[in-house]
Amino acid sequence: MFFRIHHRLSYTYERPVFLEPMALRLTPRQDGSQRILEHQLRLEEAPAGLSRVLEPDGTDAMVAWFQQERDQLTITVDMLVETLRCNPFDWIVTHRGAQQLPVTYPEAEARSLAGCLQDRTDSSVRDWAQAIADGVDRSATAFLSALADGIHHGFHHVGRLEGEPTDAAQTLRTRTGACRDTAMLFVAACRSQGLAARFVSGYSMHHPPEVSEHELHAWAEVYLPGGGWRGFDPSLGLAVADGHVILAAAPDHHLAAPVSGRYRGTGVGSSLAYLIRLQATEELRELGAPPQPMIPS
């Protein structure tokens, strides 16, 4: 599947502020599931410096820093991405301890996955996850599909443009949440069963009914020996194949945010406006030219 994506974020401040260094996670991940064919990112007005960095969880990010005060900042990224995973189930579990719940990993992998295994799950979420596990005879792979399907069909999905993800226990209690809320619930439920899980941000060609226009999307990835990191989208109730484009994934959702930064300005308010245009097709020629001239990073 080919994706052409135009994403613009415009920050406006009530008066000039000083921007602290900012992390931009707007470069899609390149791995066995997707590759970048074109990518151009620009900031208006240009920052004092822009450096490409590799973050702890493998996210390809840009760090921008600034020298002068400003009252607005616009970030624009244009990209062409090919997604490669047609079958989300083309794998087997190669470690016996990862076949049944609660999962155990080989020692070396467990050390590497430590941040994605930290279980601070509320007892209500743990009990709920255990009931799902019991319903599938503690099969790790069946649990993942049942969990995603259960959240998709059993929860009221809403669009919420701002704010942190809600606590997993609250999302479970209200049975209501935006995609980032249900993704965090999925992660918490997996960790309670010993499964390494992390939060993912990116784009999806699938249009949830609660969303009227394209927005950033959130889902989860789970690690199993033999399968590696595999995506599950609880708001859509599916295993992720070639209909999603990954920007960033991390055990802490803050490190998967497309933009992270602070500004200095006492009592100064700010606002954010954004635009995402997304085209997806199986034939590259159907995408045509990009929506506007693109300036290389």
Side-chain angles (χ1 to χ4, degrees):
M1 189 70 67
F2 295 93
F3 287 78
R4 188 178 292 285
I5 301 168
H6 171 82
H7 189 175
R8 185 176 71 243
L9 302 102
S10 299
Y11 296 87
T12 303
Y13 307 93
E14 293 176 340
R15 60 177 184 271
V17 298
F18 183 81
L19 299 176
E20 298 286 1
M22 179 178 295
L24 309 176
R25 303 180 186 94
L26 291 164
T27 303
R29 199 169 73 189
Q30 295 209 82
D31 55 26
S33 68
Q34 62 183 38
R35 61 176 177 167
I36 302 171
L37 302 180
E38 297 174 10
H39 183 266
Q40 291 84 23
L41 181 147
R42 65 181 183 273
L43 284 76
E44 304 168 3
E45 302 166 343
L50 190 64
S51 177
R52 190 167 184 169
V53 302
L54 187 64
E55 295 193 313
D57 292 285
T59 298
D60 188 357
M62 303 288 285
V63 173
W65 60 95
F66 309 85
Q67 292 181 340
Q68 296 180 336
E69 292 184 337
R70 58 174 71 199
D71 59 8
Q72 59 184 6
L73 173 68
T74 298
I75 304 166
T76 304
V77 61
D78 290 281
M79 64 189 85
L80 178 62
V81 180
E82 182 182 10
T83 54
L84 306 169
R85 177 164 287 148
C86 298
N87 178 7
F89 302 109
D90 60 346
W91 53 284
I92 60 171
V93 178
T94 56
H95 176 64
R96 184 179 297 276
Q99 294 175 344
Q100 295 291 118
L101 301 171
V103 161
T104 60
Y105 293 95
E107 184 178 350
E109 290 187 4
R111 287 197 300 269
S112 180
L113 295 167
C116 298
L117 286 166
Q118 293 181 356
D119 180 16
R120 302 187 181 95
T121 310
D122 182 88
S123 60
S124 63
V125 176
R126 185 176 291 106
D127 292 345
W128 173 70
Q130 186 60 54
I132 296 174
D134 291 341
V136 294
D137 296 325
R138 298 189 298 112
S139 164
T141 54
F143 171 80
L144 294 171
S145 295
L147 180 60
D149 187 70
I151 293 175
H152 172 61
H153 288 103
F155 286 66
H156 176 54
H157 300 275
V158 299
R160 184 163 58 86
L161 300 182
E162 298 179 353
E164 291 277 310
T166 57
D167 179 80
Q170 179 182 343
T171 303
L172 176 62
R173 183 173 60 254
T174 62
R175 302 273 168 157
T176 299
C179 60
R180 60 189 179 280
D181 306 320
T182 55
M184 291 295 286
L185 175 60
F186 189 96
V187 167
C190 286
R191 290 181 182 177
S192 76
Q193 293 294 315
L195 287 158
R198 61 188 185 181
F199 183 92
V200 186
S201 63
Y203 311 95
S204 173
M205 65 177 285
H206 308 290
H207 209 60
E210 71 275 7
V211 174
S212 60
E213 57 187 20
H214 282 295
E215 300 175 356
L216 276 168
H217 192 50
W219 61 97
E221 283 185 333
V222 178
Y223 183 87
L224 283 172
W229 287 108
R230 295 286 169 153
F232 290 85
D233 190 333
S235 66
L236 295 171
L238 49 79
V240 172
D242 59 357
H244 291 60
V245 173
I246 303 163
L247 285 177
D252 185 326
H253 68 275
H254 294 100
L255 295 178
V259 178
S260 295
R262 299 171 180 263
Y263 66 88
R264 280 187 271 154
T266 304
V268 180
S270 65
S271 60
L272 167 65
Y274 71 91
L275 171 68
I276 295 174
R277 290 201 294 262
L278 183 152
Q279 297 172 275
T281 179
E282 294 184 357
E283 297 292 336
L284 180 58
R285 65 178 180 271
E286 295 179 7
L287 290 177
Q292 62 181 42
M294 297 189 293
I295 302 175
S297 302

